[in-house]
Amino acid sequence: DVVDPMNGEVFVHMPDTQVDEVADFITSLQKVPKSGLHNPFKKPERYNQYAEVCFQAAAALRDPEVEDFFIQLIQRSMPKSHAQAKGEVVVTRRMLETFAGDGVRFMARGFTVSGDHAGQESRGYRWPYGPVAIVAPFNFPFEIPVLQLMGALFMGNKPVIKSAPQVSIVLEQYIRLLHTCGMPKEDVDLVHGFGSPMQEIITATPVRLTQFTGSSTIARKLLELTNGKVKVEDAGFDWKIVGPDIGANEVDYVAWVCDQDAYACSGQKCSAQSICFVHSNAVGNGLLDKMKTLAERRNLSDLTIGPVLSWTTEKILAHKDAVLKLPGAKLLWGGVPLKNHTIPECYGAVEPTAVSVPLKEMMASQENFDLVTTELFGPFQVVVEYGDADVDTIIEACERMSHHLTAAVVSHDTDFLHHVVSNTVNGTTYAGIRARTTGAPTNHWFGPAGDPNGAGIGTPEAIRLVWSCHREVISDVLAPSKDWTLPEAT
């Protein structure tokens, strides 16, 4: 039974696959060769087949009725505003449009290098892994699993995929759409249920790569179980630095972006703004007051604030109280449960919240630092005010953080931007007056940096990195010259 996050009533019945029911999934993956379902030598026509599938699926998602179906399905299973849910569908549709035509075959583009003698040439190819697995999260039930799934299929892999059980109906409906758009039904295996059956499938079959999006705890477990054969897009305690040069005429815009970064989707984005370092000049220009006003206009009626699916209200408020115990910390806004709602107790329901923490106290001890930089996957952020003399201390704080997904540096000052960007590592970093942390379209890389197991999503570079490996075939076809003689042994 899947309960409605808004009222706790059962509204969907979904399969709950058990460990003793995965034999068919194991058998399916065991039939897949390491060379994949297609590669540049084998069945290359399938690259064109998937380009046509992309074309048909994108056309379907342009149909207002189909688009609205998926928007409502997203909202019912993972409540978020209409604009946020529609954004998932639009980004996904544009990715499909990008790879229609010749886009899929271009993903397998290789290169050649001349050899040492006539007839010799080395050729580099992007090669599939064969049997692969995808474990997708709850917070983006359409965009994340679909983009990773399509990348796996483009490169010739056979994926088994599992989404979070609360939202797996969304992925199932998309796979059914792919079937109508020409995808062979045997190309994807879908698992409904919780983690144990998927773990059994991954460890009991020749799955050669698992792509995981979710918590860092589960990511570490999968890395251990698979001897490191996992590409991860996991936790993100994401920072924003608001520079010293934000003028009074720009504060409204910067405040709006900060509000969106911290609280859109009720803060349930791996790219959400977790900590905001705000220069005292921006504070003086009223940035925090404007952020407070924007946070307070969010409400349940339009789902601009909603249930938190991975933290309970009690747990959220306990973390808020722990941060407030630090010397000098203070509540800026929020910090109380939502009122007049029917959200079940197993989920969180709190107002958008911000806690101010002095930079000195944050950096005073490892214990303080760990507390302040704990990722709360909900509508909660830490605000730290700083001055000109504190910039390098902020960069030190960014260096000490354990995960490096997204970041933003908000400033016009090119010297300031260069100093921060050159001394930090986050994989998706926006820099400039319009910088944000939550930009995840398919026109640029979205993923962590500084981690050899890091996974990107959606772009050609991300797909090649995650879903293919490099293979070199050295062609050496011309016979030796007629005057060739047997050389001495070496």
Side-chain angles (χ1 to χ4, degrees):
D1 293 341
V2 178
V3 300
D4 188 331
M6 296 300 294
N7 57 33
E9 297 176 359
V10 174
F11 77 122
V12 176
H13 296 287
M14 296 295 292
D16 184 11
T17 308
Q18 301 299 304
V19 172
D20 60 3
E21 297 176 317
V22 300
D24 289 344
F25 294 100
I26 293 174
T27 300
S28 174
L29 292 173
Q30 287 174 337
K31 294 178 181 178
V32 183
K34 295 176 182 178
S35 55
L37 300 181
H38 63 264
N39 60 51
F41 287 82
K42 181 171 68 175
K43 298 183 179 179
E45 63 274 9
R46 279 174 53 91
Y47 294 115
N48 290 334
Q49 181 180 12
Y50 269 100
E52 179 63 21
V53 170
C54 286
F55 178 84
Q56 297 294 341
L61 291 176
R62 278 197 174 273
D63 183 328
E65 184 178 0
V66 176
E67 180 187 63
D68 192 58
F69 170 79
F70 280 106
I71 290 171
Q72 290 190 50
L73 199 58
I74 292 167
Q75 287 187 291
R76 292 289 282 119
S77 58
M78 199 287 166
K80 58 180 71 175
S81 71
H82 185 275
Q84 290 289 317
K86 183 177 181 178
E88 285 196 55
V89 180
V90 171
V91 166
T92 303
R93 188 198 74 222
R94 293 189 65 176
M95 183 262 199
L96 294 169
E97 290 169 343
T98 297
F99 290 99
D102 288 317
V104 177
R105 79 163 109 206
F106 285 157
M107 293 304 303
R109 187 199 302 265
F111 62 85
T112 62
V113 177
S114 60
D116 293 330
H117 50 258
Q120 186 185 75
E121 181 183 62
S122 62
R123 300 168 183 166
Y125 297 94
R126 297 313 299 178
W127 213 254
Y129 289 100
V132 299
I134 302 170
V135 181
F138 70 86
N139 57 327
F140 282 80
F142 190 72
E143 181 181 343
I144 290 178
V146 170
L147 266 57
Q148 293 293 9
L149 174 65
M150 299 311 294
L153 291 167
F154 293 166
M155 302 312 295
N157 301 291
K158 162 68 180 278
V160 57
I161 185 168
K162 189 194 85 68
S163 188
Q166 307 99 311
V167 300
S168 60
I169 186 174
V170 181
L171 178 59
E172 178 186 307
Q173 292 303 305
Y174 176 74
I175 291 175
R176 291 183 184 277
L177 175 64
L178 289 184
H179 291 163
T180 68
C181 294
M183 183 187 78
K185 292 184 178 180
E186 62 273 14
D187 279 12
V188 177
D189 293 338
L190 171 64
V191 179
H192 289 297
F194 293 88
S196 296
M198 192 63 167
Q199 178 179 316
E200 179 67 17
I201 292 168
I202 291 171
T203 56
T205 64
V207 166
R208 298 179 58 74
L209 173 72
T210 298
Q211 193 284 314
F212 173 78
T213 305
S215 76
S216 56
T217 301
I218 297 176
R220 287 193 297 269
K221 182 178 181 181
L222 281 171
L223 285 164
E224 293 172 0
L225 289 170
T226 64
N227 294 317
K229 293 186 291 186
V230 183
K231 288 290 187 179
V232 178
E233 198 268 275
D234 60 348
F237 188 87
D238 305 302
W239 51 262
K240 176 181 286 181
I241 300 174
V242 178
D245 57 330
I246 307 304
N249 61 325
E250 298 163 329
V251 170
D252 285 330
Y253 181 84
V254 173
W256 172 73
V257 176
C258 286
D259 177 73
Q260 286 292 107
D261 281 347
Y263 303 129
C265 296
S266 301
Q268 294 170 102
K269 295 184 179 183
C270 53
S271 57
Q273 176 180 301
S274 303
I275 189 167
C276 191
F277 298 99
V278 182
H279 195 278
S280 55
N281 291 350
V283 176
N285 281 328
L287 178 62
L288 297 184
D289 293 333
K290 293 179 181 294
M291 288 169 62
K292 181 176 185 289
T293 299
L294 293 174
E296 290 174 345
R297 71 176 180 168
R298 293 181 173 272
N299 61 83
L300 269 174
S301 64
D302 59 6
L303 292 178
T304 51
I305 193 68
V308 177
L309 301 193
S310 60
W311 283 61
T312 64
T313 300
E314 181 181 12
K315 188 178 178 183
I316 293 171
L317 296 180
H319 178 71
K320 178 261 302 183
D321 291 340
V323 176
L324 283 172
K325 290 179 181 178
L326 294 174
K330 61 182 179 180
L331 183 68
L332 296 178
W333 57 82
V336 296
L338 293 174
K339 299 175 182 178
N340 303 319
H341 68 82
T342 55
I343 296 170
E345 291 185 359
C346 60
Y347 297 135
V350 298
E351 292 182 1
T353 299
V355 174
S356 172
V357 175
L359 180 61
K360 179 181 178 181
E361 296 302 328
M362 174 184 174
M363 305 297 286
S365 69
Q366 189 62 46
E367 182 181 4
N368 286 7
F369 187 85
D370 291 344
L371 174 62
V372 172
T373 59
T374 295
E375 183 188 19
L376 195 166
F377 208 59
F380 178 89
Q381 65 174 319
V382 173
V383 175
V384 177
E385 185 175 347
Y386 74 97
D388 292 339
D390 300 320
V391 173
D392 287 338
T393 303
I394 290 173
I395 290 176
E396 179 191 346
C398 297
E399 176 76 13
R400 286 172 60 180
M401 294 175 193
S402 59
H403 294 79
H404 305 285
L405 182 56
T406 70
V409 192
V410 186
S411 178
H412 289 291
D413 187 333
T414 54
D415 289 336
F416 181 79
L417 294 172
H418 183 270
H419 181 62
V420 174
V421 172
S422 64
N423 288 285
T424 53
V425 70
N426 294 47
T428 303
T429 301
Y430 275 81
I433 193 60
R434 299 177 68 172
R436 54 181 177 163
T437 66
T438 57
T442 56
N443 64 302
H444 66 64
W445 166 272
F446 183 85
D451 182 355
N453 292 107
I457 186 171
T459 63
E461 293 79 14
I463 292 171
R464 289 191 187 100
L465 172 73
V466 175
W467 293 116
S468 68
C469 57
H470 180 77
R471 185 187 188 190
E472 197 102 353
V473 176
I474 297 85
S475 176
D476 208 346
V477 295
L478 297 184
S481 62
K482 293 181 180 179
D483 57 357
W484 181 87
T485 57
L486 184 68
E488 296 293 326
T490 60

